[in-house]
């Protein structure tokens, strides 16, 4: 691609010079004197400067992606540089940033390694150096800190070709392979993307180890943090002791409420103490919940984002080696019975060719997921084991912690659903409106909301009401955003423009949601027996409506609406 742009610029430069000599009916050569060189260099510098600042309109098969803010820039040598977001989301690459400065880009059996010195990059096929000559690998960042990687020389290796459309200042990318970006084998351990194996001991805390084990991988290998299982298992607001177990809904509500995560060193596991006032060190903004198995999506999430939390039925005593379903020599497990899941693990890789003969009981097909357990490193393969693709429980429900932010994303959280998504409410229709009302502090801008999509392919619209007086005010709502989610889960929607709130102003946030196939699309906090003994309904003012016209008080139905609001402090002179 770089060569095409340079050729085009030289042609333009030649045309500009020819115009100085007047029109001529015959083809003549261009004398490449200093004027020619200066013109070519000047045009190239102008295009680089403009593209480096403003970027290009990005097209896929001729269709613009301008609304998605995917960045493409030109480097100093006319090298096409794509943002990490574009390479992940569109090209299907796995990108890893290491503290040394090395950046790796992987797709199928291709790996590109950008050196810490920034002066070259190497291409590997199946982890073996290719015959390709090293190329200029200068990585750069824009003012917002977004990283751009030069890819002109390797786009065909990554399954794409591109064309620069000068008249539109656009870059058109076209897929030239089958579009499948996943390798047959992938192991996060080999890429420094997992934290150490830990041991749950005598407690039923596998759910917390699995949740935080997956969460810890989201920012790796650039940032390795060990989060406190002790704090999550003791400060999640559900009334369950450590022997009773738990599930991912408890983990998500704990994280979404900013109760955590906290650092393991500040609240070590198994010491019988905890500090509920420890501040969260990160904020969870998104967690995808897949309620049915989709191996391509699960593998893609591992490949691009990190470990995936799931559960299985493990008929194996804690720390033991014998089970009719476990092969202790190959560390492999396959269950085909009728029992429901009883243990949570983290998926950290896969092998499509893992021989079915390695399982004690032979499944129908080859292939296995690599699972990180919480029984210490003396179990299995240093704490890991292989589970057959044919296992009846594995991946029937999975959680992908897909967006984790620093704590400066927002300054304040407004919420009344500390227990999170416990039940569902609705009007026997796929769509409904729901709202929560809050009172602002001083000098705050309303910046985002978060809520749960209770099913796949949910569409939503977000509204705001200023100076709320009573439920009639909800009909004066103003649209501030809309979108769609592919899977159920917890989602944060940040507004394009923050809304300044008056000091002490009462405001409302509203979501209109449509979840295909659901009769109760609204996620609610409600009574669910002994485990929700700590439920508090007096802390909320929520409303529900079928068409957004007649509103019903949520608390009169013994529930709180799962709809949070987030603000940022406003700097004023």
């Amino acid at each position: 691609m770089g060569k095409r742009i340079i050729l085009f610029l030289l042609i333009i430069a030649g045309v500009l010079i020819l115009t100085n000599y007047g029109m001529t009916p015959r083809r003549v050569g261009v004398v490449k004197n200093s004027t020619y060189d200066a013109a070519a260099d000047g045009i190239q510098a102008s295009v680089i400067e403009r593209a480096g600042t403003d970027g290009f309109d990005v097209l896929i098969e001729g269709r613009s992606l301008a609304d998605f803010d995917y960045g493409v820039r030109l480097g100093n040598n006319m090298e096409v540089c794509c943002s990490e977001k574009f390479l992940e989301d569109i090209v299907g690459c796995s990108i890893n940033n290491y503290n040394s400065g090395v950046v790796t880009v992987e797709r199928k059996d291709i790996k590109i390694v950008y050196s810490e010195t920034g002066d070259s990059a190497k291409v590997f096929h199946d982890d073996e150096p290719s015959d390709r000559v090293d190329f200029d690998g200068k990585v750069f960042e824009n003012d917002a800190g977004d990283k751009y990687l030069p890819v002109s020389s390797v786009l065909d290796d990554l399954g794409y070709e591109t064309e620069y459309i000068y008249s539109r200042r656009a870059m058109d990318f076209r897929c030239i392979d089958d579009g499948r970006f996943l390798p047959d084998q992938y192991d996060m351990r080999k890429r420094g993307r997992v934290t150490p194996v830990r041991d749950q001991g005598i407690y039923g805390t596998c759910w917390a180890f699995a949740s935080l084990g997956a969460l810890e991988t989201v920012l790796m290998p650039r940032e390795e943090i060990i989060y406190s299982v002790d704090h999550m298992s003791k400060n999640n607001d559900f009334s369950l002791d450590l022997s009773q177990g738990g599930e991912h809904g408890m983990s998500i509500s704990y994280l979404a409420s900013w109760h955590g995560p906290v650092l393991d060193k500040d609240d070590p596991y198994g010491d019988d103490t905890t500090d509920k006032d420890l501040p969260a060190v990160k904020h969870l903004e998104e967690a995808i919940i897949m309620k049915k198995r989709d191996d391509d999506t699960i593998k893609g999430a591992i490949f691009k984002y990190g470990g995936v939390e799931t559960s299985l039925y493990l008929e194996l005593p804690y720390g033991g080696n014998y089970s009719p379903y476990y092969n202790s020599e190959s560390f492999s497990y396959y269950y085909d019975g009728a029992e429901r899941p009883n243990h949570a693990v983290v998926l950290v890789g896969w092998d499509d060719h893992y021989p079915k003969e390695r399982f004690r009981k032979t499944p129908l097909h080859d292939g296995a997921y690599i699972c990180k357990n919480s029984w210490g490193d003396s179990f299995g393969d240093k704490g890991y084991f292989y589970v057959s693709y044919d296992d009846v429980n594995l991946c029937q429900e999975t959680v992908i912690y897909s967006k984790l932010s620093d704590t400066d994303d927002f300054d304040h959280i407004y919420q009344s659903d500390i227990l999170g998504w416990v039940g569902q409410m609705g009007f026997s229709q796929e769509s409904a409106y729901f709202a929560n009302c809050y009172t602002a502090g001083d000098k705050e801008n309303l910046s985002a909301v978060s809520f749960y999509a209770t099913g796949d392919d949910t569409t939503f619209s977000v509204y705001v009401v200023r100076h709320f007086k009573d439920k009639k005010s909800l009909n004066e709502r103003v649209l501030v955003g809309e979108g769609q989610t592919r899977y159920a889960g917890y989602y944060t929607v940040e507004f394009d423009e923050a809304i300044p709130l008056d000091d002490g102003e009462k405001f409302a946030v509203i979501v209109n949601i449509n979840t295909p196939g659901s009769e109760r699309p609204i996620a609610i906090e409600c009574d669910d027996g002994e485990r929700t003994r700590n439920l508090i309904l007096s802390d909320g003012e929520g409303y529900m409506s079928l068409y957004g016209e007649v509103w019903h008080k949520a608390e009169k139905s013994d529930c709180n609406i799962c709809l949070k609001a987030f603000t940022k402090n406003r700097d004023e002179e």
Side-chain angles (χ1 to χ4, degrees), residues 188-189 191-196 217 220 224 348 372 384:
M188 291 174 61
R189 294 174 295 178
R191 289 145 176 96
R193 296 183 62 194
V194 294
T195 49
T217 67
M220 292 186 71
E224 180 176 344
V348 299
K372 180 184 180 182
Y384 295 83

Side-chain angles (χ1 to χ4, degrees), residues 466-507:
R466 298 284 310 279
H467 305 291
F468 177 89
K469 295 183 177 62
D470 53 37
K471 63 183 181 181
K472 293 180 181 179
S473 301
L474 298 174
N475 296 331
E476 301 172 2
R477 55 189 176 270
V478 176
L479 179 68
V480 294
E482 52 191 354
Q484 181 174 4
T485 67
R486 174 65 185 87
Y487 297 103
Y490 172 77
Y491 295 94
T492 300
V493 179
E494 188 163 3
F495 305 158
D496 289 337
E497 294 184 8
I499 300 171
L501 300 174
D502 295 339
D503 295 353
E505 174 186 342
K506 191 172 184 179
F507 65 95

Side-chain angles (χ1 to χ4, degrees), residues 111-178:
K111 180 167 69 174
I112 304 160
V113 180
Y114 296 85
S115 70
E116 65 271 17
T117 59
D119 56 5
S120 66
K122 298 180 182 295
V123 181
F124 295 80
H125 290 260
D126 290 323
D127 290 328
E128 295 294 330
S130 73
D131 296 332
R132 178 184 297 278
V133 177
D134 297 348
F135 65 95
D136 180 7
K138 183 65 174 178
V139 178
F140 71 93
E141 295 184 5
N142 63 11
D143 293 339
D146 301 317
K147 192 170 292 185
Y148 289 80
L149 308 175
V151 295
S152 293
S153 304
V154 291
L155 265 178
D156 55 340
D157 293 291
L158 297 176
Y160 275 78
E161 65 180 8
T162 187
E163 178 183 2
Y164 178 50
I165 304 175
Y166 187 81
S167 61
R168 296 178 58 181
R169 199 163 60 83
M171 200 73 71
D172 190 14
F173 290 81
R174 294 182 293 271
C175 185
I176 56 175
D177 61 11
D178 59 7

Side-chain angles (χ1 to χ4, degrees), residues 94 96 98 106 108 111 127 183-194 299 302-303 307 346-352 368-372 381 384-386:
S94 172
N96 294 314
Y98 295 86
E106 296 184 64
K108 285 187 176 177
K111 180 167 69 174
D127 290 328
D184 293 342
Q185 300 172 322
Y186 189 78
D187 190 341
M188 291 174 61
R189 294 174 295 178
K190 296 180 179 180
R191 289 145 176 96
R193 296 183 62 194
V194 294
K299 291 176 182 178
I302 296 169
F303 189 58
V346 185
L347 306 181
V348 299
W350 68 87
D351 183 351
D352 290 343
Y369 278 106
I370 304 170
C371 298
K372 180 184 180 182
D381 180 13
Y384 295 83
F385 65 115
Y386 299 81

